[in-house]
Coordinates of all heavy atoms in Angstrom, one line a residue:
V1 N -37.3 109.6 -18.2 CA -37.9 110.9 -17.9 C -36.8 111.9 -17.6 O -35.8 111.6 -16.8 CB -38.9 110.8 -16.7 CG1 -39.4 112.2 -16.3 CG2 -40.0 109.9 -17.1
Q2 N -36.9 113.1 -18.1 CA -36.0 114.2 -17.8 C -36.8 115.3 -17.2 O -37.9 115.6 -17.7 CB -35.2 114.6 -19.0 CG -34.2 113.6 -19.6 CD -33.5 114.1 -20.8 OE1 -34.0 114.9 -21.6 NE2 -32.2 113.6 -20.9
L3 N -36.2 116.0 -16.2 CA -36.9 117.1 -15.6 C -36.0 118.3 -15.7 O -34.8 118.2 -15.5 CB -37.1 116.8 -14.1 CG -37.9 115.5 -13.8 CD1 -38.0 115.3 -12.3 CD2 -39.3 115.6 -14.3
V4 N -36.6 119.5 -15.9 CA -35.9 120.7 -16.1 C -36.6 121.8 -15.2 O -37.7 122.1 -15.5 CB -35.8 121.2 -17.5 CG1 -35.0 122.5 -17.6 CG2 -35.0 120.1 -18.4
E5 N -35.8 122.3 -14.3 CA -36.4 123.4 -13.5 C -36.1 124.8 -14.1 O -35.1 124.9 -14.8 CB -35.8 123.4 -12.0 CG -36.0 122.1 -11.3 CD -34.8 121.2 -11.3 OE1 -34.0 121.3 -12.3 OE2 -34.6 120.4 -10.4
S6 N -36.9 125.7 -13.8 CA -36.7 127.1 -14.2 C -37.4 128.1 -13.3 O -38.2 127.6 -12.5 CB -37.2 127.3 -15.7 OG -38.6 127.2 -15.7
G7 N -37.0 129.3 -13.3 CA -37.7 130.3 -12.5 C -36.9 130.8 -11.3 O -37.3 131.7 -10.6
G8 N -35.7 130.2 -11.1 CA -34.9 130.7 -10.0 C -34.3 132.1 -10.2 O -34.3 132.6 -11.4
G9 N -33.8 132.7 -9.2 CA -33.2 134.0 -9.3 C -33.1 134.6 -8.0 O -33.1 134.0 -6.9
L10 N -32.9 135.9 -8.0 CA -32.7 136.8 -6.8 C -34.0 137.5 -6.4 O -34.6 138.1 -7.3 CB -31.6 137.8 -7.0 CG -31.3 138.8 -5.9 CD1 -30.8 138.0 -4.7 CD2 -30.3 139.8 -6.4
V11 N -34.3 137.4 -5.2 CA -35.6 138.1 -4.7 C -35.3 138.7 -3.3 O -34.5 138.1 -2.5 CB -36.8 137.1 -4.7 CG1 -36.5 136.0 -3.7 CG2 -38.0 137.9 -4.4
Q12 N -35.9 139.8 -3.0 CA -35.8 140.3 -1.7 C -36.7 139.6 -0.6 O -37.7 139.0 -1.0 CB -36.2 141.8 -1.7 CG -35.1 142.7 -2.3 CD -35.5 144.2 -2.1 OE1 -36.5 144.7 -2.5 NE2 -34.5 144.9 -1.5
A13 N -36.2 139.7 0.6 CA -37.0 139.1 1.7 C -38.4 139.7 1.7 O -38.6 140.9 1.5 CB -36.4 139.3 3.0
G14 N -39.4 138.8 1.8 CA -40.8 139.2 1.7 C -41.4 139.1 0.4 O -42.6 139.2 0.2
G15 N -40.6 138.8 -0.6 CA -41.0 138.7 -2.0 C -41.5 137.3 -2.4 O -41.5 136.4 -1.5
S16 N -41.8 137.2 -3.7 CA -42.3 135.9 -4.2 C -41.5 135.5 -5.4 O -40.9 136.3 -6.1 CB -43.8 136.1 -4.5 OG -44.5 136.4 -3.4
L17 N -41.6 134.2 -5.6 CA -40.9 133.6 -6.8 C -41.7 132.3 -7.1 O -42.1 131.6 -6.2 CB -39.5 133.3 -6.5 CG -38.5 133.2 -7.6 CD1 -38.4 134.5 -8.4 CD2 -37.1 132.8 -7.1
R18 N -41.8 132.0 -8.4 CA -42.4 130.8 -8.8 C -41.5 130.0 -9.6 O -40.9 130.4 -10.7 CB -43.7 131.0 -9.7 CG -44.5 129.8 -9.9 CD -45.7 130.0 -10.8 NE -45.4 130.2 -12.2 CZ -46.3 130.1 -13.2 NH1 -47.6 129.8 -12.9 NH2 -45.9 130.4 -14.4
L19 N -41.3 128.7 -9.2 CA -40.4 127.8 -9.9 C -41.3 126.8 -10.8 O -42.4 126.5 -10.4 CB -39.6 127.0 -9.0 CG -38.7 127.7 -8.0 CD1 -37.9 126.8 -7.2 CD2 -37.8 128.7 -8.7
S20 N -40.8 126.4 -11.9 CA -41.4 125.5 -12.8 C -40.5 124.3 -13.0 O -39.3 124.4 -13.0 CB -41.8 126.1 -14.1 OG -42.7 127.2 -14.0
C21 N -41.1 123.1 -13.2 CA -40.4 121.9 -13.5 C -41.2 121.2 -14.6 O -42.3 120.8 -14.4 CB -40.3 121.0 -12.3 SG -39.6 119.4 -12.6
T22 N -40.5 121.1 -15.8 CA -41.2 120.5 -16.9 C -40.5 119.2 -17.2 O -39.3 119.1 -17.3 CB -41.1 121.4 -18.1 OG1 -41.8 122.6 -17.8 CG2 -41.8 120.8 -19.3
A23 N -41.4 118.2 -17.4 CA -40.9 116.8 -17.7 C -40.9 116.5 -19.2 O -41.8 117.0 -19.9 CB -41.7 115.8 -17.0
S24 N -40.0 115.7 -19.7 CA -40.0 115.2 -21.0 C -39.5 113.8 -21.0 O -39.0 113.3 -20.0 CB -39.1 116.1 -21.9 OG -37.7 116.0 -21.5
G25 N -39.7 113.1 -22.2 CA -39.4 111.7 -22.3 C -40.6 110.9 -22.1 O -41.7 111.2 -22.6
R26 N -40.5 109.7 -21.4 CA -41.6 108.8 -21.2 C -42.4 109.4 -20.0 O -42.0 109.1 -18.8 CB -41.1 107.4 -20.9 CG -40.4 106.8 -22.1 CD -40.3 105.3 -21.9 NE -41.6 104.6 -22.2 CZ -42.3 103.9 -21.3 NH1 -41.8 103.8 -20.0 NH2 -43.4 103.3 -21.5
I27 N -43.4 110.1 -20.3 CA -44.2 110.7 -19.3 C -45.4 109.9 -18.8 O -46.1 109.3 -19.7 CB -44.8 112.1 -19.8 CG1 -43.6 112.9 -20.3 CG2 -45.5 112.8 -18.6 CD1 -42.5 113.2 -19.3
F28 N -45.6 109.8 -17.5 CA -46.7 109.1 -16.9 C -47.5 110.1 -16.1 O -46.9 110.9 -15.4 CB -46.3 107.9 -16.1 CG -45.6 106.8 -16.9 CD1 -44.3 106.8 -17.1 CD2 -46.4 105.8 -17.4 CE1 -43.7 105.8 -17.8 CE2 -45.8 104.8 -18.2 CZ -44.4 104.8 -18.3
S29 N -48.8 109.9 -16.1 CA -49.6 110.8 -15.3 C -49.7 110.5 -13.8 O -50.2 111.3 -13.0 CB -51.1 110.8 -15.9 OG -51.7 109.5 -15.7
N30 N -49.1 109.4 -13.5 CA -49.2 108.9 -12.1 C -47.9 109.1 -11.3 O -47.6 108.4 -10.4 CB -49.7 107.5 -12.0 CG -48.7 106.5 -12.7 OD1 -47.8 106.9 -13.4 ND2 -48.9 105.2 -12.5
F31 N -47.1 110.1 -11.7 CA -46.0 110.5 -10.9 C -46.4 111.4 -9.7 O -47.1 112.4 -9.9 CB -45.0 111.3 -11.7 CG -44.1 110.5 -12.7 CD1 -44.1 110.7 -14.0 CD2 -43.4 109.4 -12.2 CE1 -43.4 110.0 -14.9 CE2 -42.6 108.7 -13.1 CZ -42.6 108.9 -14.4
A32 N -45.9 111.1 -8.5 CA -45.8 112.0 -7.4 C -44.6 112.9 -7.6 O -43.5 112.4 -8.0 CB -45.8 111.3 -6.1
M33 N -44.8 114.2 -7.4 CA -43.7 115.1 -7.7 C -43.3 115.8 -6.4 O -44.1 116.2 -5.6 CB -44.1 116.2 -8.7 CG -44.5 115.7 -10.0 SD -43.2 114.9 -10.9 CE -42.1 116.3 -11.1
G34 N -42.0 115.8 -6.2 CA -41.4 116.5 -5.0 C -40.5 117.6 -5.3 O -39.9 117.7 -6.3
W35 N -40.4 118.5 -4.3 CA -39.5 119.6 -4.4 C -38.5 119.5 -3.2 O -39.0 119.3 -2.0 CB -40.2 121.0 -4.3 CG -40.8 121.4 -5.6 CD1 -42.1 121.3 -6.0 CD2 -40.2 122.0 -6.7 NE1 -42.3 121.7 -7.2 CE2 -41.1 122.2 -7.7 CE3 -38.9 122.4 -7.0 CZ2 -40.9 122.8 -9.0 CZ3 -38.6 123.0 -8.2 CH2 -39.6 123.2 -9.2
F36 N -37.3 119.6 -3.5 CA -36.2 119.6 -2.4 C -35.3 120.8 -2.6 O -35.3 121.4 -3.7 CB -35.4 118.3 -2.5 CG -36.2 117.1 -2.3 CD1 -37.0 116.5 -3.2 CD2 -36.2 116.5 -1.0 CE1 -37.7 115.3 -3.0 CE2 -36.9 115.3 -0.7 CZ -37.7 114.8 -1.7
R37 N -34.6 121.1 -1.6 CA -33.6 122.2 -1.7 C -32.3 121.9 -0.9 O -32.4 121.1 0.1 CB -34.2 123.5 -1.2 CG -34.5 123.6 0.3 CD -35.3 124.8 0.6 NE -35.5 124.9 2.1 CZ -36.3 125.9 2.6 NH1 -36.8 126.9 1.8 NH2 -36.5 125.9 3.9
Q38 N -31.2 122.5 -1.3 CA -30.0 122.2 -0.6 C -29.2 123.5 -0.6 O -28.9 124.1 -1.6 CB -29.2 121.2 -1.3 CG -27.9 120.8 -0.6 CD -27.3 119.5 -1.1 OE1 -27.6 119.1 -2.2 NE2 -26.5 118.8 -0.3
A39 N -28.9 124.0 0.7 CA -28.1 125.2 0.9 C -26.7 124.8 1.0 O -26.4 123.6 1.4 CB -28.6 125.9 2.1
P40 N -25.7 125.7 0.8 CA -24.3 125.4 1.0 C -24.0 124.9 2.3 O -24.4 125.4 3.4 CB -23.6 126.7 0.7 CG -24.6 127.5 -0.1 CD -25.9 127.1 0.3
G41 N -23.3 123.7 2.4 CA -22.9 123.1 3.6 C -24.0 122.4 4.4 O -23.7 121.9 5.5

């Protein structure tokens, strides 16, 4: 399985943004999906 994120960018405080993650390869319907983030340091 391969996952590709998209939708990131610059937004002002108070604004909104939507991220997408699309899977390819051997896809199963029974995946739990998580979102994580990492800031510098």
Side-chain angles (χ1 to χ4, degrees):
V1 175
Q2 293 181 328
L3 306 175
V4 179
E5 301 98 334
S6 63
L10 177 65
V11 64
Q12 286 189 302
S16 299
L17 203 62
R18 188 181 75 163
L19 305 182
S20 299
C21 174
T22 299
S24 62
R26 297 195 75 243
I27 306 302
F28 294 92
S29 63
N30 61 351
F31 282 125
M33 301 294 297
W35 285 96
F36 296 82
R37 66 187 183 186
Q38 188 165 21

